[in-house]
Each structure stands twice: as structure tokens, then as C-alpha cells.
Amino acid sequence: MKGKDITAKKRFEKCTLYDVERVLYKNGSVAKPLCRLLYCRFCNDLRYYNSDLIQVEVDSHYCMHALDNVPTTEAIMKKNRSRSYWQCPACPSVLTQKQSWVIEENPEKPEEPFQRKTHYMQCPFCHWSTRDLGIPDAPTAGSWPEKENLNQSRINELYEYTKQLSLQQASLSKSKASRKITKVAGKIGGFSPMLLNYSMRDDGSAKKKPIELDNPKTRTLEELDDLPEEYLSEDGLDFWKTTSLKQRFDQPEYQPELTKDLYPRRLTMGVKRSLRCRQCDHNLLKPEFSPSSIKFKMHLIATSFIPEIRLFKPSAFSTDSLSANVFLTVTNPTHSPMNIILLPFCEEENEESYRFPKITGKIMLPADSYEIPAKDTLLDYSCLTKTTENLQPSEDGKIVLPQPNKIAFNCTYQSDGVESSEGAADKWVALRIKHDTLDQKQQSIWISHVVFIKISS
Amino acid sequence: MEIRVENCDRKHFLETTTRNRVSKMAGLFGSQNIVLSGKVFVGPTCVIRGDLAHVRVGKYSMIRDGTILRPSLKHFNKGVAFVPLTIGEHCLIEENVVVSAAQIGSFVNIGKNAVIGKRAVIKECAVILPDAVLAPDTVVPPFAIFGGAPARPVGKVPDNHQEAITELTTTFYQNTKVEDFGKGK
């Protein structure tokens, strides 16, 4: 995805559905919401998308506007840019093709001029058009010239040099494992795997003709020009004619400073990717080939295997008290009954502890093990009761909810009393959930996960 | 966190034979062109402009308070024509959204105060963030998160989105049971 905005992404996590950032499952050196984790049922462990244990493979490229598949070779050749759709240089919208009629003189019959259809592109949002830039109208839709990149020869030179380096590296490593990795790296990185295999057979040929790079035409900081005086004068700079930083970063090869130099660029392609566990080499996620399909051939998402802990409602904290009631629910997502045990979490001091939320207190958990019934897909979702007053705990502390595959616990939070001033608003607790599951041999095994829960509102 | 509970007052809602729950304060114009497929929730002060073109809303779609569904028009050489508006199943459209799209797929979540431009196409399992302004003729691919003004792709939806939003819309509908109306505030 292009143009990632961290604040917008955070906003998505907080605003939607269940406020998923409240409950984080520890996976290696990160703590992530369960919906962002995968479960490898062959290794019986959680996997995070961006971790080293996940291998990302690009299945197919597609145009994000037309939603049609593009062959991988063509996508590489087009530099992952769409064939027929262009993006507005001033805003991220897709340009639309507009028709207009031009009256031209008829040399044979001057009294009867004929009309000719022409096309131009216009942004539906900011109304920027190719006519603003002075690009002549095209006789057919889609036949737009691409702006020439002045640094293209240098980029090609660097590309060839990098390719040669990778070929040398590949020829040096003869082991089977290293070959496999190089093949995948070639697929992801844009080099042809066939070419890499060929080069591996061709021993040392890449060494014979080394490409020598010219010195880069860069300047040291001392040689930078001073700020032009027009920027410093009172009315010397017109911001309407100057591009924003975002507009410049959108076109890194040109980086136009003035709005009159903005040129439309082709729309970036999207990719369908599948994820593979590096330890067992099994596919964890494999979408269907069609770009508009939402189905998966393989879909080992963690929420389908791991019991999900949710906070029923934020705990109420008074100003003086150091304790509060915490109302937790545990859902069994599988189609077989599941036994769970909630255990206290022993904090381990290590180098990576700063990556996890700071725990502000302890939570008193029920000591027994509980069996949660299986999920019944035929049963309609029953409503949760409107107040928690009707939900009385049984003798063992368990609260039975209308949904059969969900149980609730009323626990007590006890603060440590040493909360930092900046993190006083957020109160985090941690616990370890242990549950049984079936492995590949259909034998019951117990696995456990550390869970961080934000109990304050 | 568990799904929030909505308190609805029975006297302000109508329930049709196909279990659609429509607020009496909602404005439905051209009702002969409006098709609610069943178990659809239409909140107070919603406006559905069926007098312009056909509007079809799929099962278990929740249209929250103040949302306007308005089919868009397209200019042709010989005049203009209104494009029918189709909304899929299990969609959650939050408060004060203006929808002029041509098609909204199933399992789509549109945040508060968003504006969906004319003839936009939102594919299945996409998410539009609150306050986003989607430009006309935009196509939002599946599992994409669009946000900002004008909206641009900002991320990828979790792969369990379909199950999550199905549970959300179904529970939301169940929480506004007719028997329970009046027990709230």
C-alpha cells in the first residue's frame, strides 16, 4: 500500500469493531492484537506478519482501479505501475478521461469544418487537468506520453551493478538452502528467478566482466547553496505555486518544486500475497487468485484457533482506590470444546521488555480450569444482556453468558501504587492463558500465551 | 472490547415482515424503489432517496443515525441518468455519512462523517475511516483501508474482517430486539 499514514492506521485500530488494541498477545518480541496474528498449526505457535519467521510471497499483481490481473513479468517491466490509469499529481485521486470535440478546418471544403474527438485527463477531486500543464489532448484515450527521467541512465547503471553483485553472490553459495532463498529473493526483489538459476550454472562468468560504477554526482553539505532571497522577502514566495513535501515525495524521481512542473504518474499496482511459515515451510495464508475475491485457499488466522480474551467494559476507577473489578470474557472459536486455565504472569526483565506495555498492577484470577463449549455456527448470535447486573457468578467464579462458546470472569485488579505520571491514565495488566488444542496427530496438547490487557477506559 | 449495546426505544421504530427495523424519524423517499432485504437497521434521521434511483440494501446492514443514501447521476451525451445504489450484506455505515456511491460490497465498514463520492465502488471487506472524503469514481479494492481527504490507501484490513463484522452487525441487530425496546433509557 502506498502512502501509509501511521496516525490513520492507529485510528483504525482504535475506532472500529472491538477496540482491538486493548488486548495484546505476546509473540516473540512484539505484542499485537489477535486479529493481526497467524497461527501455525504445524508448529503450534503464533506468528506475526512482519516477523522473521514469516516469508512473504507475491502471488499476483493487479491494477487497483480496474481490478484486473497483470502477469508478473509485465508488472516488473512496467515497474509496478498500471497500464491505463494515472494518478493526479496534486492529490492521490485517480484521473478520469474526459472527451471533448475540436472543430478543424476541412481543406477540401472550407465551408464545412469537421469535428474531431479528443481526450484529456481531469482529477474528479481537485479538478487538476492535463490542459493546466499544457499537455496536448490525445486523439485516443490512454495514449499519454510518460515524462522522461533524466536520471534513468544512472538508475539503470546501478540496477545492473546490483544485479551483477547478486549473481556473484549466488554463484559463490552452492548449498541447496541458499539457492532456495535466492530464488525467493529474486521473485520478491524483481530479478528473474530463471536468470538467477542460469547464472548459478554459469560458474564465475559474472566475475569476468565487472561493471565499474562512476563516482556519484553528489555534493557534500558544505557545498549546498544558500536559501534564495525570494524565500526571505515578504511577498516574494507564492505558496500556491510551490509544491508540498508530500507532492514531492510522491514523485521521488522528479521532485518538482513548482506546481507547474507537476506531471501525472501511473497508478501503483496492488499485490496479492501469501504467507508461509519459515520453520515448517507450510502456507499460513493464501488468497484466491482473483483480485476482487475475498476468499482464501488457506486461512490460518489466529482468531480461528486461539481463545480470544475481551474486556466486557472498561473498569471504573475512583481517585483514591487502588483496586477495581475487571470483567473479562473468553471465547472459544473452535468447533471442539476447549479447556482453559488463567495463570498469573511473572514479569521477566530483559532487553526487549520496553516493547511491551508497562504493567501497573496485578489481577486476581480464578484458580480452576474451565471447559468452554464448542462454537455452534448454526446458532444465531444471541444478544449480550444490556447490563451486567443480571450476570451472577456461580460458585466457581465463572459467569455463563447467553452465547454458548463464551464465558466471563469477574476478577479483581490490585494496583502496584507506583504508576508513572505519564502513564497514569492507562492501566495495564498481564496474564497467561493456557489452553488445550489438537495437534496434527489429533492428540491433545497444551499451549500458553501471555496477554496484555488495558483495563482503563 | 465486547460489542457496545444500543438502547432503542420501541415507539420510535417500525418492524417490517422481513424483520427490517426502520426508525420512524427516518425519511424514505420513493419507497417503491427501496429494497431492504431483511434484518436491516435504519436509524433515526436517515434519508434514503429512492425517488432518484433504485436503492438496494443487503441483509444485516446497519445504517446509523443521520446517514444519507443518495444515488448519483452520470452525464451522457444525450442527458443524465441516475445510477442505482447497491449496498451488500453485513455493512456497517456509521453516523452522518453521505453515500453517493454506485456499489458498496458486503462486509464494508464506513466511519462517521465520511463522504462517499459519486459513482464510487467499494469492494468487499473494505474500510473507510471516519471523516474520509472519497473522490468520485474511486474504486476501493477488497481489504483496503482508505482514509483522509481525499481518501487514499493507508493500510490493510485484518484477514478476519469478514467474521468480525458479521458478528458485529448480527449482534448489533440482536441487541435492538423489539421485546427489549423500552427497557433502555
Side-chain angles (χ1 to χ4, degrees):
Chain A
M1 290 284 177
K2 193 169 179 290
K4 282 200 173 182
D5 188 347
I6 294 169
T7 52
K9 204 173 176 186
K10 282 279 176 194
R11 205 173 169 192
F12 166 73
E13 304 289 4
K14 287 188 185 300
C15 74
T16 55
L17 305 187
Y18 316 118
D19 197 359
V20 290
E21 286 284 323
R22 274 185 177 276
V23 182
L24 306 176
Y25 282 65
K26 185 183 170 188
N27 175 234
S29 59
V30 292
K32 292 287 168 189
L34 198 60
C35 63
R36 294 279 181 193
L37 294 171
L38 299 162
Y39 178 71
C40 180
R41 63 182 179 190
F42 305 97
C43 307
N44 294 314
D45 203 358
L46 290 173
R47 297 275 180 266
Y48 177 52
Y49 283 65
N50 294 340
S51 73
D52 297 337
L53 294 171
I54 288 288
Q55 183 173 300
V56 183
E57 295 171 3
V58 175
D59 280 355
S60 62
H61 294 73
Y62 65 95
C63 173
M64 287 178 72
H65 194 80
L67 294 179
D68 56 348
N69 268 314
V70 180
T72 310
T73 48
E74 191 184 334
I76 292 168
M77 214 159 60
K78 297 273 183 189
K79 298 172 188 170
N80 289 335
R81 297 280 174 176
S82 170
R83 280 172 293 189
S84 45
Y85 290 98
W86 295 72
Q87 209 170 358
C88 175
C91 70
S93 307
V94 179
L95 296 173
T96 51
Q97 305 274 347
K98 297 273 180 185
Q99 286 181 7
S100 68
W101 295 91
V102 178
I103 298 169
E104 287 190 349
E105 289 183 5
N106 191 347
E108 295 174 359
K109 292 181 180 176
E111 67 278 4
E112 291 182 11
F114 60 85
Q115 286 186 327
R116 188 169 59 86
K117 196 193 281 184
T118 60
H119 296 84
Y120 67 98
M121 290 192 291
Q122 192 182 38
C123 175
F125 190 82
C126 66
H127 288 236
W128 180 94
S129 79
T130 50
R131 289 177 171 178
D132 296 347
L133 198 64
I135 299 173
D137 291 359
T140 54
S143 59
W144 299 100
E146 210 155 348
K147 192 177 179 182
E148 192 189 352
N149 187 1
L150 296 173
N151 298 317
Q152 192 58 48
S153 61
R154 174 73 181 166
I155 292 169
N156 287 341
E157 203 177 311
L158 287 170
Y159 180 73
E160 286 296 323
Y161 181 73
T162 320
K163 202 159 78 173
Q164 196 183 40
L165 278 182
S166 70
L167 291 180
Q168 282 179 1
Q169 201 175 10
S171 64
L172 285 172
S173 55
K174 296 287 183 186
S175 67
K176 193 181 175 183
S178 64
R179 279 190 186 197
K180 200 171 186 179
I181 291 165
T182 322
K183 270 185 193 174
V184 176
K187 195 175 177 185
I188 296 165
F191 307 120
S192 166
M194 285 176 66
L195 187 67
L196 289 175
N197 285 340
Y198 176 77
S199 71
M200 279 190 278
R201 286 197 294 274
D202 187 13
D203 287 337
S205 62
K207 288 179 187 173
K208 290 173 186 172
K209 295 174 184 175
I211 295 175
E212 289 186 6
L213 282 176
D214 295 335
N215 288 325
K217 294 169 185 174
T218 52
R219 294 184 298 174
T220 55
L221 279 172
E222 288 80 18
E223 293 174 20
L224 278 177
D225 301 330
D226 294 333
L227 196 66
E229 287 183 4
E230 63 193 59
Y231 286 84
L232 304 171
S233 62
E234 284 183 3
D235 51 1
L237 184 66
D238 189 355
F239 283 102
W240 294 106
K241 291 180 181 173
T242 316
T243 54
S244 65
L245 273 180
K246 207 165 196 173
Q247 287 168 345
R248 291 181 203 186
F249 293 156
D250 276 349
Q251 303 191 24
E253 61 269 50
Y254 310 117
Q255 298 179 24
E257 291 182 1
L258 299 172
T259 50
K260 67 181 175 62
D261 297 330
L262 287 171
Y263 198 88
R265 72 262 192 213
R266 290 183 185 273
L267 189 66
T268 315
M269 276 187 204
V271 290
K272 281 228 157 190
R273 56 177 194 171
S274 60
L275 305 176
R276 188 183 289 275
C277 176
R278 276 189 195 270
Q279 277 194 349
C280 62
D281 225 18
H282 281 100
N283 256 323
L284 302 182
L285 198 77
K286 192 165 182 65
E288 282 197 345
F289 189 67
S290 170
S292 53
S293 172
I294 56 167
K295 292 179 181 171
F296 292 87
K297 290 176 187 167
M298 186 66 80
H299 193 220
L300 300 183
I301 196 90
T303 47
S304 307
F305 298 93
I306 307 297
E308 188 177 4
I309 297 179
R310 289 184 196 160
L311 195 69
F312 196 86
K313 62 175 184 178
S315 301
F317 286 93
S318 60
T319 51
D320 300 331
S321 71
L322 294 173
S323 64
N325 277 336
V326 181
F327 204 8
L328 298 175
T329 62
V330 185
T331 312
N332 176 13
T334 62
H335 295 284
S336 56
M338 179 182 279
N339 293 301
I340 63 149
I341 306 172
L342 297 177
L343 300 167
F345 170 64
C346 302
E347 196 171 1
E348 300 162 3
E349 284 294 332
N350 54 28
E351 294 173 356
E352 291 172 341
S353 57
Y354 70 92
R355 292 172 184 264
F356 305 120
K358 187 169 174 56
I359 298 162
T360 57
K362 286 180 182 173
I363 185 166
M364 310 302 165
L365 296 163
D368 298 338
S369 106
Y370 299 98
E371 187 184 90
I372 312 177
K375 182 185 177 184
D376 189 0
T377 46
L378 297 175
L379 192 77
D380 205 2
Y381 290 96
S382 304
C383 64
L384 295 169
T385 49
K386 290 193 172 180
T387 58
T388 55
E389 292 165 8
N390 302 332
L391 302 173
Q392 293 300 326
S394 57
E395 290 177 0
D396 55 355
K398 188 178 80 171
I399 300 168
V400 180
L401 292 170
Q403 286 165 295
N405 65 329
K406 187 181 290 234
I407 58 170
F409 300 97
N410 202 356
C411 311
T412 311
Y413 164 78
Q414 192 69 42
S415 172
D416 288 343
V418 284
E419 293 162 11
S420 60
S421 58
E422 57 184 26
D426 292 345
K427 297 190 190 313
W428 287 87
V429 293
L431 57 92
R432 184 179 283 275
I433 182 169
K434 200 172 174 186
H435 66 96
D436 63 343
T437 183
L438 295 174
D439 64 357
Q440 285 300 299
K441 295 172 186 169
Q442 297 299 313
Q443 290 175 343
S444 178
I445 54 165
W446 285 82
I447 52 176
S448 69
H449 315 281
V450 174
V451 186
F452 299 95
I453 307 165
K454 182 184 163 190
I455 56 171
S456 56
S457 55
Chain B
M1 205 158 69
E2 287 292 350
I3 298 160
R4 58 188 180 272
V5 175
E6 297 294 321
N7 290 322
C8 296
D9 200 341
R10 184 179 189 173
K11 63 187 177 186
H12 291 149
F13 280 82
L14 291 170
E15 186 164 297
T16 65
T17 51
T18 49
R19 304 285 179 191
N20 299 308
R21 286 165 191 169
V22 183
S23 168
K24 289 179 184 174
M25 287 187 283
L28 274 64
F29 300 94
S31 54
Q32 71 275 12
N33 289 334
I34 299 172
V35 179
L36 305 179
S37 303
K39 297 186 177 179
V40 173
F41 178 86
V42 180
T45 64
C46 280
V47 176
I48 303 181
R49 295 293 303 272
D51 53 333
L52 302 176
H54 272 90
V55 178
R56 189 182 181 85
V57 186
K59 279 181 187 173
Y60 280 113
S61 285
M62 306 292 127
I63 300 163
R64 303 291 306 277
D65 315 6
T67 292
I68 299 170
L69 304 183
R70 187 186 185 282
S72 56
L73 56 83
K74 186 167 177 61
H75 290 272
F76 293 100
N77 290 336
K78 294 177 182 175
V80 294
F82 278 91
V83 184
L85 169 57
T86 312
I87 296 175
E89 297 177 2
H90 292 284
C91 289
L92 177 64
I93 302 176
E94 300 272 5
E95 290 97 336
N96 302 322
V97 177
V98 180
V99 180
S100 296
Q103 187 196 338
I104 295 177
S106 301
F107 316 110
V108 169
N109 183 11
I110 301 177
K112 286 177 188 173
N113 306 321
V115 177
I116 311 299
K118 290 173 185 170
R119 304 173 299 280
V121 175
I122 304 175
K123 290 289 182 180
E124 285 86 356
C125 291
V127 169
I128 310 294
L129 292 181
D131 305 319
V133 180
L134 206 64
D137 298 308
T138 307
V139 178
V140 180
F143 291 107
I145 304 172
F146 270 56
R152 62 162 71 198
V154 291
K156 191 180 174 297
V157 173
D159 293 306
N160 72 330
H161 183 74
Q162 184 176 341
E163 293 83 20
I165 200 163
T166 304
E167 188 184 346
L168 179 76
T169 51
T170 319
T171 316
F172 183 96
Y173 180 81
Q174 296 283 346
N175 281 338
T176 56
K177 267 185 176 177
V178 171
E179 301 92 82
D180 293 344
F181 284 178
K183 285 184 184 175
K185 56 187 174 182

